[in-house]
Amino acid sequence: MYDYFEHQADVGIIGIGNTLEEAFVEGAKAMFQVMCEIKEVEAKEEVKIEVDASDQETLFVEWLNALLAQKDIKDMLFSDFDVKIEGNTLKGVARGETMDLDKHEVKTEVKAATYSQLKIVKDKDYKVQCVVDV
Amino acid sequence: MKLELKEKRKYVWELEKHGDMNVLGRVYGEEETVKHLHKDVEMGKDWNALKQIYNVACLPGIQRASLAMPDVHPGYGFPIGGVGAFNMKEGVISVGGVGFDVGCNVANIIIPVKKSDIISKQKELAEALFRDIPAGLGEKGEIGLQPGELDEVLVKGVDFVLKKGYGLKSDKEYYEKKGVLEGADPANVSDIAKRREKKQLGTLGSGNHYLEVQYVDEVFDEETAKVYGVDKDSIIVSMHCGSRALGHQIGTDYLKVLDGAAKKYDIPIRERELVCAPIESQEGKDYVSAIYAGMNYSYANKEILLHLTRKTIGRIFGLSEEDMKLLYCISHNSVMKEKHNGEELMVHRKGATRAFGPGHEDLPIKYQKVGQPVLVGGTMGTSSYILKGTQVAMDETFGSACHGAGRAMSRKQAVQNWRADDIVRELAAKGIIVKGHGRKGIAEESPGAYKDVNQVVDVMDKSGISTKVVKVKPLISVKG
């Protein structure tokens, strides 16, 4: 599950899951939903992502920024993700398809995931959030 | 001590130097703006613009004051509307002072046709611009780069585009820094940044980027308007765009580099996006050379878009490209080395534009007497302004002014409050055609989601930082 939080100029995204991995996956969906209607994006091709960071919060930002880079490099939109986190290293897969302006309703481009309001909260479930610059 | 602004003179507020501040803080704004800043502090928001003004004031080597323009709102490290100048010896350079859209700028060209000519072909022109100017997420530019050419763009900026045979040689004079910053080093721009670029040269982008056809609605300063080449009902095309994914990746990459540098040089960091490095350190020099590369890309991007725009308008109205003069092109996410009072400084402007006063050697000869045009973008339904830089700006703000209206409401709220179709209809009733690449984008950029640009500009005018020359209103708005 994902959600958004209020932000004056940009967009706050929240990924929620039973595990940290699930929360990271949901956070990625939240970010791509800002850019397109993710239900319209079929998981036809996959891209492998590997990132590490000094801590798990930063790892979330690294993960999102790596996805943004792949979106431009491969000219794709992503809708389906798998993530494995070990310590401060993430190995993930993003699935999606080539961006097609006739098929996909594109919305607002995300420029970068930022450290602003970045946090991981572990309660009954995991919530991971940050602001993305649009 | 509390974060509290005190009125210094009308529209000018100061945050007394206290705690770890090296200089005071100064905000240009209405009482309402200041109330809003104080309210965010009182509510304990961990992310607020006044705290950011304080944080910037604590950075090493900052000169005179940590400044905020009347369009101030919370940003990343620096507030949006923030200006900070640093000396070369002790000073630092920060990612937060530039942002992710490196070198985002506004350019205005003057179209020598009558307002009635535009109105009689308004629909045709709107459709043609919407079709011919690549905009929105995923759009590609028409100018394909050969291998190795991207590095040339990063070094040469507008000169690269001119060499390729696009654009106008006469434009160069009317870009800040003549459209090319010296000292850009493509080797300091990552491979990922270059791979992300992928055919984006000559595209507008999305979000708050736009192309507008505007007319001059009101002239405040006849003499300067004449020097700028505009008059009542003159037609202007204004274009707001930046360095696309390449610039975004430069910001993302150097957040990490400067994070390491801040630790290495033991600079206390009060907000993660405010990471910085000494200007004279290797990390600092690398970042400056990468930012300059990003800004050069942004200038080149703009020149190609100007070419495409002129081609379309020229075809419809029987004009040559040379007929459509560039008034000025000016960035609002930048850091540049500038001389102030005889000293070289690194001036960060995050959501603020350069606004040099009369007599500055960097200005085109034509504008020497009156000062630099300051292009302030409004929102799609409202007005935009052309101001002029003043000596007051040189004395108080390192020659800087506001860049736009500034958001007052989140995108989420905007989408809940307005429907794209209603906005398009309401603006059409006012004679404005809006073309957008995404319906949600139109709702997000609803005029009601922004501060009143008239108020923001009045603060600049009345405080003497940049005075009003003309007010313009849109006839066509193409949203990215």
Side-chain angles (χ1 to χ4, degrees), chain A residues 75-101:
Chain A
D75 202 14
M76 285 175 73
L77 290 169
F78 302 114
S79 56
D80 185 35
F81 310 88
D82 273 332
V83 160
K84 192 119 193 92
I85 298 172
E86 272 173 36
N88 296 332
T89 302
L90 177 153
K91 284 182 185 168
V93 177
R95 296 181 197 90
E97 63 179 320
T98 304
M99 201 180 306
D100 175 355
L101 295 174

PDB file of all heavy atoms in Angstrom, chain A residues 75-101:
ATOM      1  N   ASP A  75      14.272   4.415 -21.185  1.00  0.00           N
ATOM      2  CA  ASP A  75      13.056   4.977 -21.750  1.00  0.00           C
ATOM      3  C   ASP A  75      11.829   4.140 -21.368  1.00  0.00           C
ATOM      4  O   ASP A  75      10.989   3.814 -22.206  1.00  0.00           O
ATOM      5  CB  ASP A  75      13.202   5.046 -23.282  1.00  0.00           C
ATOM      6  CG  ASP A  75      12.260   6.062 -23.883  1.00  0.00           C
ATOM      7  OD1 ASP A  75      11.706   6.867 -23.135  1.00  0.00           O
ATOM      8  OD2 ASP A  75      12.072   6.007 -25.114  1.00  0.00           O
ATOM      9  N   MET A  76      11.782   3.742 -20.101  1.00  0.00           N
ATOM     10  CA  MET A  76      10.712   2.844 -19.650  1.00  0.00           C
ATOM     11  C   MET A  76       9.917   3.466 -18.505  1.00  0.00           C
ATOM     12  O   MET A  76      10.354   4.402 -17.855  1.00  0.00           O
ATOM     13  CB  MET A  76      11.327   1.537 -19.110  1.00  0.00           C
ATOM     14  CG  MET A  76      11.838   0.603 -20.188  1.00  0.00           C
ATOM     15  SD  MET A  76      12.673  -0.832 -19.442  1.00  0.00           S
ATOM     16  CE  MET A  76      11.280  -1.759 -18.784  1.00  0.00           C
ATOM     17  N   LEU A  77       8.737   2.906 -18.281  1.00  0.00           N
ATOM     18  CA  LEU A  77       7.981   3.172 -17.057  1.00  0.00           C
ATOM     19  C   LEU A  77       7.925   1.858 -16.297  1.00  0.00           C
ATOM     20  O   LEU A  77       7.868   0.788 -16.910  1.00  0.00           O
ATOM     21  CB  LEU A  77       6.564   3.648 -17.399  1.00  0.00           C
ATOM     22  CG  LEU A  77       6.478   5.042 -18.019  1.00  0.00           C
ATOM     23  CD1 LEU A  77       5.069   5.279 -18.556  1.00  0.00           C
ATOM     24  CD2 LEU A  77       6.854   6.126 -17.011  1.00  0.00           C
ATOM     25  N   PHE A  78       7.934   1.920 -14.989  1.00  0.00           N
ATOM     26  CA  PHE A  78       7.915   0.705 -14.167  1.00  0.00           C
ATOM     27  C   PHE A  78       6.667   0.667 -13.292  1.00  0.00           C
ATOM     28  O   PHE A  78       6.181   1.696 -12.825  1.00  0.00           O
ATOM     29  CB  PHE A  78       9.154   0.647 -13.263  1.00  0.00           C
ATOM     30  CG  PHE A  78      10.452   0.676 -14.018  1.00  0.00           C
ATOM     31  CD1 PHE A  78      11.318   1.761 -13.893  1.00  0.00           C
ATOM     32  CD2 PHE A  78      10.820  -0.375 -14.856  1.00  0.00           C
ATOM     33  CE1 PHE A  78      12.516   1.800 -14.579  1.00  0.00           C
ATOM     34  CE2 PHE A  78      12.019  -0.344 -15.556  1.00  0.00           C
ATOM     35  CZ  PHE A  78      12.871   0.754 -15.416  1.00  0.00           C
ATOM     36  N   SER A  79       6.177  -0.567 -13.068  1.00  0.00           N
ATOM     37  CA  SER A  79       4.974  -0.701 -12.237  1.00  0.00           C
ATOM     38  C   SER A  79       5.079  -1.835 -11.226  1.00  0.00           C
ATOM     39  O   SER A  79       4.247  -1.961 -10.343  1.00  0.00           O
ATOM     40  CB  SER A  79       3.771  -0.958 -13.143  1.00  0.00           C
ATOM     41  OG  SER A  79       4.023  -2.104 -13.948  1.00  0.00           O
ATOM     42  N   ASP A  80       6.078  -2.681 -11.374  1.00  0.00           N
ATOM     43  CA  ASP A  80       6.156  -3.871 -10.537  1.00  0.00           C
ATOM     44  C   ASP A  80       7.603  -4.030 -10.056  1.00  0.00           C
ATOM     45  O   ASP A  80       8.536  -3.897 -10.850  1.00  0.00           O
ATOM     46  CB  ASP A  80       5.725  -5.081 -11.387  1.00  0.00           C
ATOM     47  CG  ASP A  80       5.647  -6.350 -10.574  1.00  0.00           C
ATOM     48  OD1 ASP A  80       5.260  -6.273  -9.389  1.00  0.00           O
ATOM     49  OD2 ASP A  80       6.001  -7.424 -11.106  1.00  0.00           O
ATOM     50  N   PHE A  81       7.767  -4.284  -8.774  1.00  0.00           N
ATOM     51  CA  PHE A  81       9.115  -4.278  -8.214  1.00  0.00           C
ATOM     52  C   PHE A  81       9.330  -5.426  -7.234  1.00  0.00           C
ATOM     53  O   PHE A  81       8.383  -5.857  -6.573  1.00  0.00           O
ATOM     54  CB  PHE A  81       9.365  -2.956  -7.457  1.00  0.00           C
ATOM     55  CG  PHE A  81       9.010  -1.726  -8.241  1.00  0.00           C
ATOM     56  CD1 PHE A  81       7.709  -1.198  -8.217  1.00  0.00           C
ATOM     57  CD2 PHE A  81       9.953  -1.094  -9.039  1.00  0.00           C
ATOM     58  CE1 PHE A  81       7.369  -0.077  -8.947  1.00  0.00           C
ATOM     59  CE2 PHE A  81       9.638   0.037  -9.775  1.00  0.00           C
ATOM     60  CZ  PHE A  81       8.338   0.545  -9.731  1.00  0.00           C
ATOM     61  N   ASP A  82      10.573  -5.869  -7.158  1.00  0.00           N
ATOM     62  CA  ASP A  82      10.986  -6.817  -6.119  1.00  0.00           C
ATOM     63  C   ASP A  82      12.228  -6.261  -5.458  1.00  0.00           C
ATOM     64  O   ASP A  82      13.095  -5.707  -6.137  1.00  0.00           O
ATOM     65  CB  ASP A  82      11.360  -8.173  -6.734  1.00  0.00           C
ATOM     66  CG  ASP A  82      10.142  -9.053  -6.872  1.00  0.00           C
ATOM     67  OD1 ASP A  82       9.206  -8.878  -6.073  1.00  0.00           O
ATOM     68  OD2 ASP A  82      10.127  -9.897  -7.797  1.00  0.00           O
ATOM     69  N   VAL A  83      12.305  -6.442  -4.167  1.00  0.00           N
ATOM     70  CA  VAL A  83      13.442  -5.880  -3.447  1.00  0.00           C
ATOM     71  C   VAL A  83      13.948  -6.862  -2.407  1.00  0.00           C
ATOM     72  O   VAL A  83      13.166  -7.530  -1.728  1.00  0.00           O
ATOM     73  CB  VAL A  83      12.990  -4.563  -2.741  1.00  0.00           C
ATOM     74  CG1 VAL A  83      13.941  -4.198  -1.618  1.00  0.00           C
ATOM     75  CG2 VAL A  83      12.925  -3.419  -3.732  1.00  0.00           C
ATOM     76  N   LYS A  84      15.255  -6.965  -2.311  1.00  0.00           N
ATOM     77  CA  LYS A  84      15.880  -7.759  -1.246  1.00  0.00           C
ATOM     78  C   LYS A  84      16.880  -6.832  -0.555  1.00  0.00           C
ATOM     79  O   LYS A  84      17.749  -6.262  -1.207  1.00  0.00           O
ATOM     80  CB  LYS A  84      16.593  -8.948  -1.895  1.00  0.00           C
ATOM     81  CG  LYS A  84      17.022  -9.987  -0.925  1.00  0.00           C
ATOM     82  CD  LYS A  84      16.322 -11.335  -1.259  1.00  0.00           C
ATOM     83  CE  LYS A  84      16.485 -12.317  -0.115  1.00  0.00           C
ATOM     84  NZ  LYS A  84      15.405 -12.298   0.854  1.00  0.00           N
ATOM     85  N   ILE A  85      16.727  -6.682   0.744  1.00  0.00           N
ATOM     86  CA  ILE A  85      17.645  -5.802   1.476  1.00  0.00           C
ATOM     87  C   ILE A  85      18.474  -6.620   2.455  1.00  0.00           C
ATOM     88  O   ILE A  85      17.924  -7.408   3.236  1.00  0.00           O
ATOM     89  CB  ILE A  85      16.857  -4.711   2.241  1.00  0.00           C
ATOM     90  CG1 ILE A  85      16.086  -3.825   1.265  1.00  0.00           C
ATOM     91  CG2 ILE A  85      17.802  -3.851   3.094  1.00  0.00           C
ATOM     92  CD1 ILE A  85      15.135  -2.842   1.912  1.00  0.00           C
ATOM     93  N   GLU A  86      19.762  -6.454   2.347  1.00  0.00           N
ATOM     94  CA  GLU A  86      20.647  -7.074   3.336  1.00  0.00           C
ATOM     95  C   GLU A  86      21.521  -5.972   3.906  1.00  0.00           C
ATOM     96  O   GLU A  86      22.341  -5.393   3.191  1.00  0.00           O
ATOM     97  CB  GLU A  86      21.502  -8.155   2.689  1.00  0.00           C
ATOM     98  CG  GLU A  86      20.819  -9.518   2.695  1.00  0.00           C
ATOM     99  CD  GLU A  86      21.598 -10.540   1.913  1.00  0.00           C
ATOM    100  OE1 GLU A  86      22.840 -10.505   1.948  1.00  0.00           O
ATOM    101  OE2 GLU A  86      20.953 -11.368   1.229  1.00  0.00           O
ATOM    102  N   GLY A  87      21.319  -5.670   5.170  1.00  0.00           N
ATOM    103  CA  GLY A  87      22.059  -4.569   5.791  1.00  0.00           C
ATOM    104  C   GLY A  87      21.745  -3.280   5.072  1.00  0.00           C
ATOM    105  O   GLY A  87      20.579  -2.888   4.967  1.00  0.00           O
ATOM    106  N   ASN A  88      22.756  -2.643   4.512  1.00  0.00           N
ATOM    107  CA  ASN A  88      22.544  -1.388   3.800  1.00  0.00           C
ATOM    108  C   ASN A  88      22.715  -1.562   2.290  1.00  0.00           C
ATOM    109  O   ASN A  88      23.059  -0.621   1.579  1.00  0.00           O
ATOM    110  CB  ASN A  88      23.502  -0.309   4.316  1.00  0.00           C
ATOM    111  CG  ASN A  88      23.229   0.032   5.768  1.00  0.00           C
ATOM    112  OD1 ASN A  88      22.104  -0.102   6.243  1.00  0.00           O
ATOM    113  ND2 ASN A  88      24.264   0.461   6.479  1.00  0.00           N
ATOM    114  N   THR A  89      22.499  -2.795   1.832  1.00  0.00           N
ATOM    115  CA  THR A  89      22.584  -3.067   0.390  1.00  0.00           C
ATOM    116  C   THR A  89      21.230  -3.554  -0.115  1.00  0.00           C
ATOM    117  O   THR A  89      20.562  -4.340   0.558  1.00  0.00           O
ATOM    118  CB  THR A  89      23.655  -4.143   0.119  1.00  0.00           C
ATOM    119  OG1 THR A  89      24.901  -3.667   0.635  1.00  0.00           O
ATOM    120  CG2 THR A  89      23.813  -4.422  -1.371  1.00  0.00           C
ATOM    121  N   LEU A  90      20.885  -3.039  -1.272  1.00  0.00           N
ATOM    122  CA  LEU A  90      19.604  -3.444  -1.863  1.00  0.00           C
ATOM    123  C   LEU A  90      19.846  -4.049  -3.238  1.00  0.00           C
ATOM    124  O   LEU A  90      20.582  -3.491  -4.052  1.00  0.00           O
ATOM    125  CB  LEU A  90      18.700  -2.208  -1.990  1.00  0.00           C
ATOM    126  CG  LEU A  90      17.325  -2.356  -2.640  1.00  0.00           C
ATOM    127  CD1 LEU A  90      16.371  -1.300  -2.092  1.00  0.00           C
ATOM    128  CD2 LEU A  90      17.363  -2.268  -4.162  1.00  0.00           C
ATOM    129  N   LYS A  91      19.234  -5.236  -3.442  1.00  0.00           N
ATOM    130  CA  LYS A  91      19.220  -5.812  -4.780  1.00  0.00           C
ATOM    131  C   LYS A  91      17.762  -5.866  -5.208  1.00  0.00           C
ATOM    132  O   LYS A  91      16.934  -6.450  -4.490  1.00  0.00           O
ATOM    133  CB  LYS A  91      19.832  -7.215  -4.767  1.00  0.00           C
ATOM    134  CG  LYS A  91      21.349  -7.175  -4.662  1.00  0.00           C
ATOM    135  CD  LYS A  91      21.957  -8.543  -4.701  1.00  0.00           C
ATOM    136  CE  LYS A  91      23.454  -8.395  -4.464  1.00  0.00           C
ATOM    137  NZ  LYS A  91      24.103  -9.671  -4.198  1.00  0.00           N
ATOM    138  N   GLY A  92      17.465  -5.267  -6.314  1.00  0.00           N
ATOM    139  CA  GLY A  92      16.064  -5.194  -6.712  1.00  0.00           C
ATOM    140  C   GLY A  92      15.856  -5.409  -8.197  1.00  0.00           C
ATOM    141  O   GLY A  92      16.803  -5.429  -8.987  1.00  0.00           O
ATOM    142  N   VAL A  93      14.590  -5.595  -8.531  1.00  0.00           N
ATOM    143  CA  VAL A  93      14.203  -5.738  -9.928  1.00  0.00           C
ATOM    144  C   VAL A  93      13.028  -4.790 -10.167  1.00  0.00           C
ATOM    145  O   VAL A  93      12.119  -4.717  -9.347  1.00  0.00           O
ATOM    146  CB  VAL A  93      13.747  -7.189 -10.226  1.00  0.00           C
ATOM    147  CG1 VAL A  93      13.267  -7.310 -11.662  1.00  0.00           C
ATOM    148  CG2 VAL A  93      14.865  -8.171  -9.956  1.00  0.00           C
ATOM    149  N   ALA A  94      13.081  -4.077 -11.279  1.00  0.00           N
ATOM    150  CA  ALA A  94      11.951  -3.228 -11.668  1.00  0.00           C
ATOM    151  C   ALA A  94      11.413  -3.748 -12.989  1.00  0.00           C
ATOM    152  O   ALA A  94      12.183  -4.005 -13.912  1.00  0.00           O
ATOM    153  CB  ALA A  94      12.425  -1.788 -11.823  1.00  0.00           C
ATOM    154  N   ARG A  95      10.095  -3.960 -13.035  1.00  0.00           N
ATOM    155  CA  ARG A  95       9.490  -4.450 -14.279  1.00  0.00           C
ATOM    156  C   ARG A  95       8.547  -3.403 -14.846  1.00  0.00           C
ATOM    157  O   ARG A  95       7.835  -2.725 -14.102  1.00  0.00           O
ATOM    158  CB  ARG A  95       8.712  -5.745 -14.013  1.00  0.00           C
ATOM    159  CG  ARG A  95       9.599  -6.885 -13.568  1.00  0.00           C
ATOM    160  CD  ARG A  95       8.826  -8.162 -13.330  1.00  0.00           C
ATOM    161  NE  ARG A  95       9.655  -9.061 -12.547  1.00  0.00           N
ATOM    162  CZ  ARG A  95       9.674  -9.100 -11.209  1.00  0.00           C
ATOM    163  NH1 ARG A  95       8.866  -8.327 -10.513  1.00  0.00           N
ATOM    164  NH2 ARG A  95      10.480  -9.937 -10.585  1.00  0.00           N
ATOM    165  N   GLY A  96       8.570  -3.334 -16.157  1.00  0.00           N
ATOM    166  CA  GLY A  96       7.698  -2.364 -16.809  1.00  0.00           C
ATOM    167  C   GLY A  96       7.806  -2.484 -18.299  1.00  0.00           C
ATOM    168  O   GLY A  96       8.145  -3.551 -18.815  1.00  0.00           O
ATOM    169  N   GLU A  97       7.538  -1.400 -18.999  1.00  0.00           N
ATOM    170  CA  GLU A  97       7.617  -1.439 -20.456  1.00  0.00           C
ATOM    171  C   GLU A  97       8.072  -0.094 -21.006  1.00  0.00           C
ATOM    172  O   GLU A  97       8.089   0.907 -20.281  1.00  0.00           O
ATOM    173  CB  GLU A  97       6.275  -1.837 -21.067  1.00  0.00           C
ATOM    174  CG  GLU A  97       5.164  -0.846 -20.767  1.00  0.00           C
ATOM    175  CD  GLU A  97       3.840  -1.241 -21.401  1.00  0.00           C
ATOM    176  OE1 GLU A  97       3.861  -1.710 -22.553  1.00  0.00           O
ATOM    177  OE2 GLU A  97       2.801  -1.064 -20.745  1.00  0.00           O
ATOM    178  N   THR A  98       8.424  -0.098 -22.281  1.00  0.00           N
ATOM    179  CA  THR A  98       8.864   1.128 -22.935  1.00  0.00           C
ATOM    180  C   THR A  98       7.749   2.168 -22.885  1.00  0.00           C
ATOM    181  O   THR A  98       6.584   1.846 -23.107  1.00  0.00           O
ATOM    182  CB  THR A  98       9.228   0.824 -24.414  1.00  0.00           C
ATOM    183  OG1 THR A  98      10.195  -0.207 -24.404  1.00  0.00           O
ATOM    184  CG2 THR A  98       9.781   2.044 -25.118  1.00  0.00           C
ATOM    185  N   MET A  99       8.140   3.383 -22.572  1.00  0.00           N
ATOM    186  CA  MET A  99       7.164   4.456 -22.497  1.00  0.00           C
ATOM    187  C   MET A  99       6.512   4.665 -23.864  1.00  0.00           C
ATOM    188  O   MET A  99       7.195   4.744 -24.878  1.00  0.00           O
ATOM    189  CB  MET A  99       7.893   5.742 -22.068  1.00  0.00           C
ATOM    190  CG  MET A  99       6.981   6.776 -21.485  1.00  0.00           C
ATOM    191  SD  MET A  99       7.866   8.278 -20.997  1.00  0.00           S
ATOM    192  CE  MET A  99       9.148   7.664 -19.937  1.00  0.00           C
ATOM    193  N   ASP A 100       5.190   4.693 -23.874  1.00  0.00           N
ATOM    194  CA  ASP A 100       4.466   4.866 -25.123  1.00  0.00           C
ATOM    195  C   ASP A 100       3.420   5.953 -24.889  1.00  0.00           C
ATOM    196  O   ASP A 100       2.439   5.748 -24.180  1.00  0.00           O
ATOM    197  CB  ASP A 100       3.805   3.520 -25.495  1.00  0.00           C
ATOM    198  CG  ASP A 100       2.928   3.634 -26.724  1.00  0.00           C
ATOM    199  OD1 ASP A 100       2.746   4.765 -27.233  1.00  0.00           O
ATOM    200  OD2 ASP A 100       2.417   2.591 -27.177  1.00  0.00           O
ATOM    201  N   LEU A 101       3.655   7.108 -25.496  1.00  0.00           N
ATOM    202  CA  LEU A 101       2.799   8.256 -25.186  1.00  0.00           C
ATOM    203  C   LEU A 101       1.361   8.064 -25.671  1.00  0.00           C
ATOM    204  O   LEU A 101       0.453   8.740 -25.201  1.00  0.00           O
ATOM    205  CB  LEU A 101       3.401   9.542 -25.760  1.00  0.00           C
ATOM    206  CG  LEU A 101       4.740   9.931 -25.117  1.00  0.00           C
ATOM    207  CD1 LEU A 101       5.357  11.124 -25.826  1.00  0.00           C
ATOM    208  CD2 LEU A 101       4.589  10.216 -23.636  1.00  0.00           C
TER     209      LEU A 101
END
